[in-house]
C-alpha cells in the first residue's frame, strides 16, 4: 500500500509542455566544457593538458577520497584547462574540449555479455560504477558507489526514484517510457550488490505511459509502486515513507531504516556502465518553459552550454529567469554559458509573468508554511532565528533537516523568501561548527 507523507503541496505541474515530446539526440556542440566538480566531495584533478587529444569516454579528471572521475563527452583536442562558470553560481576548474566531430570512442569502453555481468561480484560492480563516474542524477550528485558500498549489509529495500514531482521536468518520464528495460536492469544490478530479491520503482500516477512501460519491462521481484501525485513525492525521505511507511530519523540517512534510493537516470547510467562499459558522459535534459517556442527533451553531451539548449528550442522573448532544474528547487543562472553537468535534469526558461518578488516582505504568522512542510518543521520560527542571527535557535528548530523543497515558500501569501533564508542559515551553522584555522 502507498502511505501519504505529511505536508506537501500541489503546484501547477506544467508538464504538458514537454511530456509528449520524444527524446531527441542533441547535435554535438563544437565546444564542451567539462567541470572538474560535478559531485558532492573533492573536485577532480585534471589528467589532461592544453593541446592533448582525447577520445569519447576517456577519463580526463580524478582524485582521491570522496570523488568520482569525469570523462570526455566528445573526441577532440583540449583547448584549455581553466576556471569557467558553474551551475552552482561559482567558478570551477574545467577542461575545455574542441570537438573534432569524429566521435572516436575510447579503447577502454568495452561492452559485457550477460554471462560476464552475471560473473561479477558486488565489489567489482561497485568499482565499475565508481570508474564510470556515476552520481545522483536527480540533482543531489552524491557519488553512487559510496551509497552502494556503504549500504551493503544494511539495506533491505532498494528504491528507484521515478517520481519526478517537480513542475515542468519530464526527463525521467521520457526515460521510463523509452528505456524501461535499462531502468529495470540497473535496479537488478543494485539488488545484486545489496543481496536483495526484491526492488521497488516509485512513480507518481500522473505518468500513465511510463507506468505501463515499466510494468511491462519489470522482471521477477521488481515492484512498480504507483503513488498519488503530490510534491515533493520525489524527495528521498518522503519517497521512502510513501513506499515503506518507514521514517528516516532527524539527521539520519536512508540506510538507518534499511533503504537506499537511486534516481531513474542514475539507475540507467548504472546499466550502461556495467553492460556497455560506457561512463556517464551524457544525459536526458528537459528544456521547457512558458516562453519557449518548442520545449524539448534532449539527450545532451555533458559540457553542453545552456545557451545552446535554449537556442535549439527558440524563445518568444528574453527570459526573466533561467533555472538549472525546476521552479521549486532549481538554481537561477547568471551566465547562460554554464555547462550541462551530471546533476542537471532540466533547464527551465521563464518569462516576465513569473516575477513574484516582493520588496521587504513581512510574515503574517498564518502558519501555512508549517502545514506544508513535509519534514514537519516550523519554517516561521526557523526564518525568525535566521533573521536574528541566532545560530543556537536555528539548531534548536532543526533547520539542518530542511530539504529545501520550497513547499513553504510556495504556500506563503506574503512571498517571504524562506528557502533562501534557510540556505544562508545552514551555511552560518556550518561556518560556526568549522574548526578555527591557526
Amino acid at each position: 500500500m502507498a502511505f501519504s507523507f505529511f505536508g506537501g503541496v500541489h503546484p501547477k505541474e506544467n508538464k504538458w509542455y514537454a511530456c509528449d515530446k520524444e527524446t531527441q539526440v542533441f547535435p554535438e556542440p563544437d565546444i564542451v566544457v567539462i567541470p572538474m566538480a560535478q559531485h558532492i566531495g573533492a573536485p577532480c584533478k585534471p589528467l589532461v593538458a592544453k593541446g592533448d587529444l582525447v577520445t569519447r569516454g576517456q577519463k580526463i579528471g580524478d582524485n582521491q577520497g570522496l570523488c568520482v572521475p569525469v570523462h570526455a563527452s566528445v573526441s577532440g583536442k583540449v583547448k584549455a584547462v581553466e576556471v569557467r562558470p558553474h551551475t552552482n553560481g561559482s567558478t570551477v576548474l574545467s577542461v575545455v574540449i574542441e570537438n573534432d566531430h569524429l566521435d572516436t570512442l575510447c579503447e577502454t569502453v568495452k561492452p559485457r555479455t550477460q554471462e560476464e555481468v552475471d560473473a561479477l561480484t558486488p565489489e567489482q560492480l561497485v568499482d565499475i560504477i565508481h570508474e564510470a563516474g556515476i552520481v545522483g542524477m536527480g540533482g543531489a550528485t552524491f557519488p553512487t558507489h559510496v551509497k552502494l558500498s556503504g549500504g551493503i549489509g544494511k539495506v533491505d529495500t532498494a528504491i528507484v526514484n521515478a517520481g519526478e514531482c517537480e513542475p515542468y521536468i519530464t526527463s525521467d518520464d521520457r526515460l521510463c517510457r523509452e528505456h524501461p528495460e535499462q531502468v529495470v536492469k540497473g535496479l537488478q544490478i543494485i539488488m545484486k550488490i545489496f543481496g536483495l530479491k526484491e526492488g521497488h520503482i516509485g512513480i507518481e500516477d500522473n505518468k500513465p505511459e511510463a507506468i505501463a512501460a515499466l510494468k511491462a519491462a519489470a522482471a521477477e521481484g521488481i515492484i512498480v509502486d504507483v503513488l498519488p501525485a503530490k510534491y515533493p513525492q520525489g524527495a528521498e525521505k518522503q519517497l521512502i515513507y510513501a513506499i515503506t511507511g518507514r521514517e528516516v530519523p532527524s539527521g539520519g540517512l536512508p540506510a538507518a531504516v534499511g533503504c537506499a534510493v537511486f534516481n531513474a537516470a542514475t539507475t540507467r547510467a548504472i546499466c550502461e556502465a556495467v553492460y556497455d562499459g560506457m561512463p556517464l558522459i551524457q544525459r536526458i535534459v528537459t528544456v521547457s518553459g512558458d516562453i519557449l517556442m518548442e520545449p524539448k527533451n534532449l539527450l545532451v553531451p555533458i559540457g553542453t552550454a545552456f545557451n545552446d539548449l535554449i537556442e535549439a528550442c527558440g524563445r518568444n522573448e528574453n527570459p526573466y529567469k533561467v533555472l538549472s532544474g525546476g521552479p521549486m528547487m532549481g538554481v537561477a543562472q547568471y551566465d547562460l554559458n554554464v555547462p550541462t553537468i551530471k546533476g542537471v535534469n532540466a533547464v527551465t526558461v521563464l518569462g516576465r509573468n513569473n516575477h513574484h518578488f516582493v520588496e521587504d516582505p513581512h510574515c503574517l504568522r498564518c502558519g501555512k508554511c508549517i502545514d506544508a512542510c513535509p519534514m514537519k518543521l516550523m519554517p516561521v520560527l526557523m526564518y525568525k532565528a535566521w533573521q536574528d542571527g541566532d545560530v543556537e535557535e536555528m539548531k534548536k528548530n532543526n533547520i539542518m533537516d530542511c530539504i529545501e523543497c520550497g513547499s513553504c515558500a510556495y504556500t506563503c501569501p506574503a512571498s517571504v523568501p524562506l528557502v533562501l533564508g534557510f540556505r544562508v542559515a545552514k551555511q552560518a551553522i556550518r561556518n560556526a561548527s568549522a574548526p578555527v584555522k591557526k
Side-chain angles (χ1 to χ4, degrees):
M1 65 173 292
F3 298 86
S4 180
F5 61 87
F6 178 85
V9 293
H10 292 88
K12 189 175 181 180
E13 294 176 353
N14 285 329
K15 293 182 182 289
W16 62 269
Y17 283 104
C19 67
D20 291 325
K21 305 289 182 67
E22 292 186 6
T23 302
Q24 301 177 24
V25 177
F26 187 76
E28 290 186 352
D30 294 331
I31 297 289
V32 294
V33 178
I34 314 291
M36 293 294 100
Q38 299 188 50
H39 54 270
I40 291 174
C44 292
K45 295 179 180 179
L47 302 178
V48 293
K50 181 179 179 180
D52 288 352
L53 297 178
V54 297
T55 51
R56 186 169 180 261
Q58 178 182 330
K59 188 196 294 188
I60 59 173
D62 204 354
N63 204 347
Q64 301 297 313
L66 184 62
C67 182
V68 294
V70 292
H71 304 77
S73 57
V74 299
S75 62
K77 189 174 185 178
V78 176
K79 186 178 180 181
V81 179
E82 62 189 19
V83 172
R84 287 290 187 99
H86 192 278
T87 56
N88 64 11
S90 68
T91 53
V92 170
L93 186 63
S94 305
V95 173
V96 183
I97 303 173
E98 187 174 24
N99 190 356
D100 61 12
H101 295 284
L102 296 177
D103 206 27
T104 306
L105 196 61
C106 183
E107 61 183 13
T108 60
V109 178
K110 297 178 181 178
R112 298 178 180 86
T113 64
Q114 185 63 58
E115 291 74 18
E116 289 173 324
V117 172
D118 290 341
L120 294 170
T121 66
E123 291 74 21
Q124 288 173 323
L125 289 169
V126 171
D127 286 343
I128 290 168
I129 291 165
H130 172 227
E131 279 301 305
I134 299 175
V135 300
M137 295 172 68
T141 68
F142 188 79
T144 302
H145 74 283
V146 176
K147 183 183 288 190
L148 288 166
S149 58
I152 295 175
K154 301 175 184 177
V155 170
D156 59 40
T157 304
I159 301 171
V160 173
N161 183 357
E164 198 168 56
C165 56
E166 181 105 11
Y168 288 100
I169 306 177
T170 59
S171 53
D172 285 349
D173 182 7
R174 293 309 313 183
L175 168 60
C176 291
R177 293 195 209 188
E178 297 164 4
H179 304 284
E181 70 289 340
Q182 290 186 314
V183 176
V184 169
K185 281 187 173 182
L187 177 53
Q188 289 176 316
I189 293 166
I190 293 168
M191 290 161 59
K192 180 176 179 179
I193 292 171
F194 288 142
L196 306 179
K197 299 296 184 183
E198 185 178 286
H200 295 261
I201 301 175
I203 186 168
E204 289 191 322
D205 59 10
N206 59 358
K207 304 173 183 65
E209 294 87 354
I211 292 167
L214 288 168
K215 285 186 174 180
E220 182 180 354
I222 292 180
I223 301 167
V224 178
D225 296 278
V226 181
L227 309 169
K230 182 171 71 164
Y231 181 86
Q233 188 85 253
E236 194 172 59
K237 294 178 181 179
Q238 282 62 44
L239 187 63
I240 289 171
Y241 181 79
I243 291 176
T244 69
R246 305 175 191 175
E247 290 195 42
V248 179
S250 174
L253 297 173
V257 293
C259 294
V261 180
F262 302 86
N263 174 261
T266 304
T267 310
R268 182 200 187 188
I270 289 173
C271 172
E272 292 183 318
V274 173
Y275 282 92
D276 302 331
M278 182 62 72
L280 178 48
I281 60 172
Q282 61 183 4
R283 65 157 303 144
I284 300 176
V285 178
T286 298
V287 187
S288 187
D290 59 347
I291 63 169
L292 293 183
M293 298 172 66
E294 188 182 358
K296 296 178 180 180
N297 296 292
L298 299 170
L299 182 62
V300 178
I302 298 298
T304 303
F306 277 27
N307 199 49
D308 290 343
L309 302 181
I310 295 170
E311 290 304 314
C313 297
R315 50 191 172 86
N316 295 316
E317 61 181 77
N318 288 331
Y320 159 65
K321 185 178 290 186
V322 175
L323 301 165
S324 173
M328 299 296 285
M329 296 186 71
V331 178
Q333 300 301 301
Y334 72 96
D335 188 335
L336 296 187
N337 287 313
V338 294
T340 301
I341 62 173
K342 298 174 183 180
V344 173
N345 56 1
V347 177
T348 305
V349 187
L350 303 176
R352 177 59 58 177
N353 64 331
N354 290 278
H355 178 77
H356 302 298
F357 178 75
V358 173
E359 197 166 335
D360 194 26
H362 293 280
C363 176
L364 306 177
R365 299 297 192 271
C366 65
K368 288 185 177 181
C369 59
I370 299 171
D371 293 335
C373 179
M375 294 301 293
K376 302 179 182 179
L377 301 175
M378 301 285 283
V380 60
L381 298 182
M382 292 156 53
Y383 191 77
K384 185 178 186 304
W386 169 66
Q387 286 185 309
D388 294 342
D390 191 336
V391 172
E392 291 306 314
E393 193 66 20
M394 295 178 206
K395 293 179 182 178
K396 181 181 175 181
N397 284 286
N398 299 314
I399 203 167
M400 297 303 288
D401 284 342
C402 171
I403 60 174
E404 300 176 20
C405 67
S407 294
C408 57
Y410 178 80
T411 60
C412 179
S415 298
V416 176
L418 294 163
V419 179
L420 172 63
F422 302 154
R423 286 173 176 164
V424 176
K426 285 182 178 182
Q427 190 57 50
I429 291 174
R430 296 186 191 103
N431 293 342
S433 302
V436 178
K437 293 183 179 180
K438 296 183 179 179

